[in-house]
């Protein structure tokens, strides 16, 4: 086992010592398997995409899905627990806050000081905990974005809410609900103050313009804080560690390497849905109301080990300029969401451009040679494709840019986080190389 894989396994098992091994055993039994007490587990990428795109058949609002977990804490209109036209309208109104240009400007302003401090400490020969730097920076970016610029808020308590979730529990316990509400209370008060100010350059201000009341804005802002920090704190240190463990300094972290690192780490290791009606997934019967667990990590890892050079080489493939293909342009109807393109529409557009048809079925040799064919499944697919993806990528690029001046960067210590929902390092210590 390679060094990177040993450490990634330690990160995964520290977070979920039982569930990680269970999911591996489940995947060995087939692409879709019913697991008592957990749900119907999907570990095949194309099947997972079909489920994510079928929002009529599989929802985020039913029992055991993400919405069912969060509604008791955040209320019924927190985006993460919405479906249909109301969800689409809320995404549309908030979309302007997450354009690449806007989030890049926010990151440039907010991260200049903390990343400048990171560079100075490394240049002086000091040791830096990258996990802490990323957490502090991500918190400040989200605080700025949602309008909590001057507010005191219990962000550590909010992070603990996410850490308390477990795969085998279909809902939060009463104690967890009370704890989550308490942790988010001060954040909610600050959000309401921003809502009252009505500044539409913030999430809270846009929610007011949409007609959401004070209780609803607490929930919506809460979910942005919860999802906008923990996935980034998980990914960025693991990205730097992956590069280090495969003999690459920060100066060699390219966009292709970032995409490949997202594939093998999958910062959202599972996605939850609830069956709205009885049916079948990959030949397995699914009852109405049954939980569907999309094992994103297994779906993406099936395409092979970490191989960023292979991903870079895909840019030279003959079909690289085909819509929806690896390295090709996104669907013009979904410029920030290539994952929402159905195979049928992609094939039709490709045919018009003279592109070869892509066969259906499990990953073939071409797919395995080109992990980008997954089309960012780790960010979701369809109408629930991650709204904050441009923000996450802007923050990743900002941190990598700050580290790029230290090609000999060394990992001097690390400790995986234990008992957390999203696998991560609790500490990743860095020093500049000689």
């Amino acid at each position: 086992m390679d060094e990177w894989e040993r450490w990634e396994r330690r990160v995964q098992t520290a977070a979920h010592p039982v569930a990680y091994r269970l999911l591996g055993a489940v995947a060995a039994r087939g692409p879709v398997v019913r697991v008592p007490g957990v749900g119907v587990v999907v570990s095949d990428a194309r099947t997972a995409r079909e489920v994510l795109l079928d929002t009529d058949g599989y929802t985020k609002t039913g029992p055991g899905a993400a919405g069912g977990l969060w509604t008791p804490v955040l209320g019924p209109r927190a985006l993460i627990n919405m479906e249909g036209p109301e969800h689409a309208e809320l995404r549309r109104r908030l979309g302007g806050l997450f354009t690449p240009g806007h989030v890049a400007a926010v990151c440039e302003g907010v991260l200049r000081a903390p990343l400048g401090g990171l560079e100075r400490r490394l240049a002086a020969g000091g040791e830096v905990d990258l996990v802490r730097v990323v957490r502090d920076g991500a918190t400040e970016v989200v605080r700025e974005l949602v309008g909590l610029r001057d507010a005191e808020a219990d962000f550590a308590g909010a992070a603990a809410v996410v850490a308390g979730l477990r795969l085998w529990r279909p809902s939060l316990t009463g104690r967890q609900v009370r704890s989550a509400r308490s942790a988010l209370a001060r954040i909610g008060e600050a959000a309401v103050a921003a809502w009252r100010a009505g500044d539409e350059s913030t999430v809270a201000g846009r929610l007011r313009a949409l007609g959401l009341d004070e209780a609803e804005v607490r929930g919506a802002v809460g979910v942005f804080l919860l999802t906008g920090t923990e996935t980034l704190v998980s990914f960025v240190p693991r990205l730097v560690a992956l590069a280090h463990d495969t003999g690459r300094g920060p100066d060699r972290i390219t966009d292709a390497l970032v995409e490949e690192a997202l594939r093998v780490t999958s910062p959202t290791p599972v996605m939850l849905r609830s069956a709205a009606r009885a049916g079948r997934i990959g030949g397995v019967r699914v009852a109405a109301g049954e939980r569907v667990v999309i094992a994103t990590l297994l779906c993406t890892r099936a395409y092979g080990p970490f191989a960023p050079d292979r991903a870079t080489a895909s840019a030279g493939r003959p079909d690289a300029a085909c819509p929806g293909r690896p390295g090709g342009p996104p669907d013009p109807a979904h410029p920030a969401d290539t994952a929402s393109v159905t195979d049928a529409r992609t094939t039709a557009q490709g045919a018009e451009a003279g592109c070869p048809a892509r066969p259906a079925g499990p990953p073939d040799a071409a797919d395995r040679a080109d992990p980008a064919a997954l089309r960012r499944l780790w960010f979701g697919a369809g109408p629930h494709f991650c709204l904050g993806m441009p923000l996450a990528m802007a923050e990743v690029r900002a941190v990598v840019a700050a580290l790029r001046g230290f090609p000999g960067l060394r990992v001097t210590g690390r400790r995986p986080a234990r008992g957390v929902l999203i696998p991560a390092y609790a500490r990743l210590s860095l020093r500049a190389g000689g």
Side-chain angles (χ1 to χ4, degrees), residues 42 44-53 294 299 377 381:
V42 178
D44 170 72
R46 292 193 182 183
T47 305
R49 185 176 301 283
E50 290 173 2
V51 171
L52 294 173
L53 292 174
I294 296 173
C299 292
L377 184 65

Side-chain angles (χ1 to χ4, degrees), residues 10-32:
R10 291 181 64 176
V11 168
Q12 294 286 348
T13 55
H16 301 288
V18 176
Y20 180 71
R21 293 179 175 89
L22 171 65
L23 288 177
V26 168
R29 294 178 55 193
V32 183

Side-chain angles (χ1 to χ4, degrees), residues 62-407:
L69 288 169
W70 290 116
T71 297
V73 176
L74 301 172
R77 297 179 67 190
L79 193 67
I80 196 173
N81 56 358
M82 297 168 65
E83 291 282 9
E86 188 178 40
H87 169 263
E89 174 62 13
L90 183 54
R91 276 186 64 105
R92 186 188 68 79
R93 292 295 301 271
L94 293 175
L97 293 177
F98 295 96
T99 62
H102 181 70
V103 296
V106 170
C107 289
E108 166 67 21
V110 175
L111 296 179
R112 184 182 298 115
L115 292 183
L118 165 71
E119 293 177 84
R120 287 191 294 273
R121 290 196 297 276
L122 288 173
E127 188 173 76
V128 172
D129 178 11
L130 186 61
V131 173
R132 181 172 181 177
V133 171
V134 173
R135 183 179 296 281
D136 290 347
T139 297
E140 290 307 309
V141 167
V142 174
R143 189 197 295 269
E144 172 72 18
L145 191 67
V146 302
L148 309 183
R149 299 181 180 94
D150 303 315
E152 293 289 334
D154 183 13
F155 286 91
V161 173
V162 177
L165 295 176
R166 291 295 178 267
L167 177 62
W168 56 86
R169 295 174 185 162
S171 62
L172 296 174
T173 65
R175 182 177 180 179
Q176 285 178 315
V177 170
R178 291 190 296 272
S179 175
R181 287 175 176 170
S182 175
L184 293 172
R186 294 183 68 184
I187 294 174
E189 291 170 6
V192 168
W195 175 85
R196 289 172 178 163
D199 180 0
E200 287 200 40
S201 70
T202 68
V203 170
R206 291 214 174 189
L207 292 177
R208 176 171 179 167
L210 269 176
L212 273 69
D213 60 28
E214 292 188 8
E216 292 165 335
V217 79
R218 291 176 188 268
V221 169
V223 79
F224 277 110
L225 294 171
L226 293 173
T227 60
T229 55
E230 294 310 301
T231 51
L232 201 72
V233 172
S234 166
F235 176 65
V236 175
R238 291 164 75 186
L239 165 67
V240 174
L242 272 168
H244 173 272
D245 294 342
T246 54
R248 295 170 172 86
D251 58 316
R252 294 176 62 191
I253 297 180
T254 62
D255 285 350
L257 190 145
V258 171
E259 290 293 320
E260 178 72 347
L262 282 165
R263 181 185 69 83
V264 298
T265 62
S266 196
T268 306
V270 298
M271 300 179 191
L272 304 177
R273 295 292 186 269
S274 180
R277 57 176 180 261
R280 287 181 178 273
I281 300 177
V284 175
R285 289 185 179 275
V286 181
E290 193 165 11
R291 191 186 214 191
V292 178
V293 178
I294 296 173
T296 322
L297 180 67
L298 299 181
C299 292
T300 59
R301 283 282 186 91
Y303 283 70
F306 181 64
D309 294 334
R310 174 183 58 193
T312 303
S314 72
R317 282 176 45 158
D319 63 350
C322 297
R325 296 295 178 88
D331 182 336
H334 300 272
D337 180 1
T338 59
S340 69
V341 184
T342 65
D343 286 340
R345 185 164 59 197
T346 300
T347 300
Q349 291 178 336
E352 293 173 2
C355 298
R358 179 177 171 183
D364 57 20
D367 282 342
R368 289 186 183 279
D370 189 357
L374 289 165
R375 288 174 292 168
R376 291 179 165 173
L377 184 65
W378 42 88
F379 284 124
H384 288 287
F385 184 84
C386 179
L387 181 64
M389 185 271 285
L391 175 63
M393 299 309 292
E395 293 182 75
V396 169
R397 291 188 181 105
V399 176
V400 170
L403 295 175
R404 193 162 280 139
F406 305 93

Side-chain angles (χ1 to χ4, degrees), residues 408-432:
L409 192 72
R410 295 179 290 115
V411 174
T412 56
R414 59 181 111 183
R415 176 168 56 86
R418 296 190 176 278
V420 294
L421 176 67
I422 303 175
Y425 283 107
R427 176 179 57 83
L428 187 77
S429 299
L430 306 175
R431 281 187 187 274

